[in-house]
Amino acid sequence: MIIAACDDAGLDIPRYCYHPGMSIVASCRICLVEVEGIPKLVPACQTPVRDGMVVHTKSTKAVANQKQVMEYLLINHPLDCPVCDQAGECTLQDYSYQYGRSQSRFEEDKYKKPKKDVGEHVLLYNDRCIMCTRCVRFTREVSGTSELFVDGRGHKEEIEIFPGQPLNNKLSGNVVDLCPVGALLDKDFLFKQRVWLLKSSVSISPADAGGENIYLQHNDGIVYRIKPRYNAEVNTWWISDDTRYSHKPLHAENRLKQATKLQLGAPGFGAPSRVSFTEALEWADTELKRLTTENGEGSTYAVFSPMMACEEAYLLGQYIRSVDPGAVLILGPVPTVDEDEVFKHYLSSQETFRIKAEKVPNKAGVMRVLEMLGGTIQTIDEASTNTKLKQGWIVGGYLSNWIAQAVKFPEGFKVVQDILPNALTEKADVLLPATAWAEKPGCWENFAGKIQAFDAAIPAPEGAMREGDAYMKLLGKPGVYNADAIRAEMGGAFADVKLPAVDETQPVMEFVEL
Ligand code: SF4
């Protein structure tokens, strides 16, 4: 289509209803262009290119149409940009600046439509809707759930849900990203931040093994929202709601921030006492070495969480083997539901999206690292009955309470690194507050064997130390944790993994005169 050819060539054609991931309806009419030899303007989104075709995207006729479409769309659209969440990333606002008039010729009263609560995560400000039907097509063609439809005709047209059938599918948040104006809004993000204050960091979803590509959008050390990042091979334009709200535990009130070690003498024998992170780390190292000498080779273990970055797993593996060359390496629990959740096109039944049943991002990557390190590797069940194991290092970092799954660990001295409190952190001989994926760089391998790098978006909470830095200290390696350098050292499949260079250049907004 002409619009896709222009996108490839870097020519900006305005659009509202067109989206490359859905069917073409050519209803908004703002993409009309002039094609030599055709008397009427044609929609760029619906007209295939052919050899020798000459297209004028900024001719007098094309721009006149764009201005008329803008005037028409703004007839009933409220001028509430200052209080609208979409302000700053609204194409209606952008094109209004480019093509619109500074004054309205409309003298009648605007037709007001009500706000609606359409689903668990989504609010509909109906008066801002420009009827592009992207949201309706999404629920039919991608989620396949068809909750949204157009009710009424003409200026009384409204987006609606069927009675008793809210927009509660697991992909519902995507309609907020799709909506070109501020009609569909995310309840969680509502009025939290102005979008121009947010910075974007390249990241990967921690919610499951799918490896969805995302941006973490943050300001002043707080992640406010997660947006999809296009990757044709993984998630295309969409993400699941589990991914979209996976930043919540980062700022949980009960986030662990204080290192502790069990008091050895009176007073307070056996109770956790607060110490600095460095002191706790040194104590963990000293005790692990002492107990390994006492209990013999092969008595130490490390539990690697499938939430860890591959680089961290590699460093921890090196450390634990430096303490005990016969140390047992164990993959931590992998929370999994019965089956993948599959979404299909409502008519063709073609698969459009899949949410993986494995609810951790890096089981494959951690296993790859453990196999690279070699030696004895056991499952958590095997380890729980291995009476030889006496002291160990356990990494958690799960986004919810993972100990609730009745996981058993070998008895004895335990160093625990975790982000949220649970039964294990309460009993830890040494507790080291850990960092979450948004606070450090690294890489994860998804279910399909694709290794993808992510970047740190926000700093580690005060009192915690990035796992990579802690392991570097223990190993006596100079400098700070650098994911690129560690991947180069790891070699193999990790050597070429790089953070993608993301082009975030915005189209230059110019006022277009006739
Ligand atoms: S709510 Fe948004 S996406 Fe849906 S039709 Fe209206 S403008 Fe388009």
Side-chain angles (χ1 to χ4, degrees):
M1 299 302 162
I2 293 173
I3 202 164
C6 287
D7 284 350
D8 286 350
L11 295 170
D12 189 33
I13 294 193
R15 83 276 316 258
Y16 290 118
C17 65
Y18 172 77
H19 189 287
M22 295 186 296
S23 62
I24 294 168
V25 288
S27 65
C28 76
R29 315 309 283 178
I30 199 164
C31 76
L32 300 196
V33 290
E34 204 175 345
V35 176
E36 285 186 11
I38 302 180
K40 290 191 353 185
L41 294 175
V42 294
C45 65
Q46 208 181 30
T47 311
V49 286
R50 59 179 153 71
D51 272 352
M53 183 185 242
V54 180
V55 179
H56 297 278
T57 62
K58 298 230 169 356
S59 67
T60 306
K61 242 169 126 179
V63 172
N65 170 69
Q66 288 159 355
K67 286 186 176 250
Q68 282 158 15
V69 171
M70 283 307 300
E71 186 176 19
Y72 165 72
L73 288 177
L74 291 170
I75 281 182
N76 281 312
H77 191 89
L79 293 176
D80 59 353
C81 303
V83 295
C84 177
D85 255 14
Q86 188 88 358
E89 56 181 8
C90 171
T91 44
L92 195 67
Q93 206 177 32
D94 293 344
Y95 298 148
S96 174
Y97 176 69
Q98 273 188 295
Y99 301 109
R101 300 164 170 273
S102 55
Q103 283 179 333
S104 172
R105 292 184 291 166
F106 189 67
E107 288 172 355
E108 287 76 20
D109 289 337
K110 284 181 190 273
Y111 183 71
K112 292 203 180 72
K113 296 176 197 169
K115 289 187 189 69
K116 285 178 204 158
D117 187 348
V118 290
E120 189 188 345
H121 301 297
V122 186
L123 271 183
L124 170 62
Y125 282 59
N126 237 328
D127 49 356
R128 295 178 188 156
C129 172
I130 57 163
M131 279 299 152
C132 71
T133 70
R134 276 185 182 187
C135 56
V136 176
R137 279 175 285 146
F138 177 84
T139 60
R140 291 178 185 176
E141 298 167 16
V142 184
S143 71
T145 44
S146 305
E147 296 98 341
L148 299 177
F149 70 104
V150 179
D151 187 26
R153 286 291 177 269
H155 73 290
K156 292 193 175 170
E157 255 181 350
E158 281 180 31
I159 297 298
E160 258 296 5
I161 47 171
F162 293 97
Q165 290 189 354
L167 178 68
N168 279 354
N169 69 71
K170 279 284 197 76
L171 300 181
S172 69
N174 289 292
V175 298
V176 175
D177 305 332
L178 279 174
C179 184
V181 297
L184 289 165
L185 295 175
D186 186 339
K187 287 183 192 171
D188 182 66
F189 182 70
L190 197 68
F191 305 137
K192 294 261 170 68
Q193 279 281 297
R194 301 315 324 227
V195 299
W196 52 86
L197 299 175
L198 297 175
K199 293 164 268 307
S200 289
S201 298
V202 169
S203 195
I204 303 292
S205 165
D208 56 52
E212 292 163 25
N213 287 211
I214 52 173
Y215 285 114
L216 294 178
Q217 298 200 322
H218 53 97
N219 183 24
D220 273 345
I222 297 172
V223 176
Y224 284 97
R225 66 177 182 179
I226 291 180
K227 287 279 179 186
R229 179 161 56 89
Y230 177 75
N231 186 329
E233 291 168 29
V234 185
N235 53 310
T236 61
W237 299 267
W238 328 118
I239 54 172
S240 69
D241 286 353
D242 293 343
T243 297
R244 191 174 296 275
Y245 303 108
S246 58
H247 60 292
K248 292 280 155 192
L250 294 174
H251 309 297
E253 273 183 11
N254 57 351
R255 191 69 202 265
L256 293 172
K257 293 177 185 165
Q258 175 65 54
T260 60
K261 67 172 191 177
L262 289 193
Q263 189 76 292
L264 286 183
F269 178 80
S273 63
R274 296 167 161 230
V275 286
S276 72
F277 193 99
T278 317
E279 194 183 332
L281 193 66
E282 281 165 7
W283 176 247
D285 186 39
T286 314
E287 276 301 279
L288 275 181
K289 285 177 177 157
R290 185 182 68 77
L291 289 165
T292 305
T293 318
E294 211 173 284
N295 298 321
E297 193 175 316
S299 61
T300 312
Y301 65 93
V303 176
F304 295 76
S305 163
M307 300 296 296
M308 292 174 95
C310 295
E311 297 86 338
E312 295 169 343
Y314 173 74
L315 290 173
L316 176 60
Q318 278 195 327
Y319 166 67
I320 214 75
R321 284 276 162 80
S322 74
V323 172
D324 178 353
V328 176
L329 311 183
I330 302 161
L331 173 72
V334 178
T336 308
V337 296
D338 289 343
E339 52 189 31
D340 291 358
E341 202 167 332
V342 180
F343 296 86
K344 293 180 176 160
H345 188 286
Y346 80 126
L347 284 180
S348 70
S349 296
Q350 202 182 354
E351 184 177 322
T352 51
F353 200 84
R354 181 176 281 263
I355 301 177
K356 296 302 293 176
E358 201 175 289
K359 298 299 173 197
V360 282
N362 198 28
K363 177 190 159 193
V366 168
M367 276 316 292
R368 186 187 286 271
V369 174
L370 298 192
E371 277 156 19
M372 213 167 96
L373 292 163
T376 316
I377 302 169
Q378 288 191 338
T379 64
I380 190 87
D381 289 338
E382 288 165 349
S384 65
T385 54
N386 183 346
T387 49
K388 225 180 148 219
L389 300 179
K390 301 285 186 228
Q391 60 280 333
W393 190 295
I394 302 169
V395 184
Y398 297 77
L399 300 178
S400 57
N401 189 1
W402 57 296
I403 301 297
Q405 307 169 54
V407 191
K408 286 205 185 67
F409 296 99
E411 290 298 320
F413 181 83
K414 290 181 191 63
V415 181
V416 178
Q417 278 184 298
D418 214 334
I419 59 170
L420 296 169
N422 52 53
L424 186 67
T425 58
E426 280 159 23
K427 285 192 292 186
D429 294 83
V430 181
L431 171 65
L432 301 168
T435 50
W437 96 108
E439 294 150 2
K440 58 198 172 189
C443 70
W444 284 333
E445 179 173 342
N446 79 349
F447 76 99
K450 196 172 173 61
I451 306 177
Q452 306 182 97
F454 53 88
D455 204 1
I458 54 173
E462 211 181 324
M465 185 189 282
R466 297 186 304 177
E467 287 81 322
D469 286 323
Y471 305 147
M472 297 269 292
K473 259 181 193 289
L474 291 170
L475 284 164
K477 289 192 181 228
V480 290
Y481 167 69
N482 176 328
D484 283 329
I486 306 288
R487 283 198 294 271
E489 187 185 316
M490 291 161 80
F494 297 103
D496 298 328
V497 177
K498 295 262 172 315
L499 261 189
V502 179
D503 179 17
E504 280 195 278
T505 44
Q506 298 288 321
V508 184
M509 289 299 153
E510 285 169 4
F511 183 73
V512 183
E513 268 299 352
L514 266 186

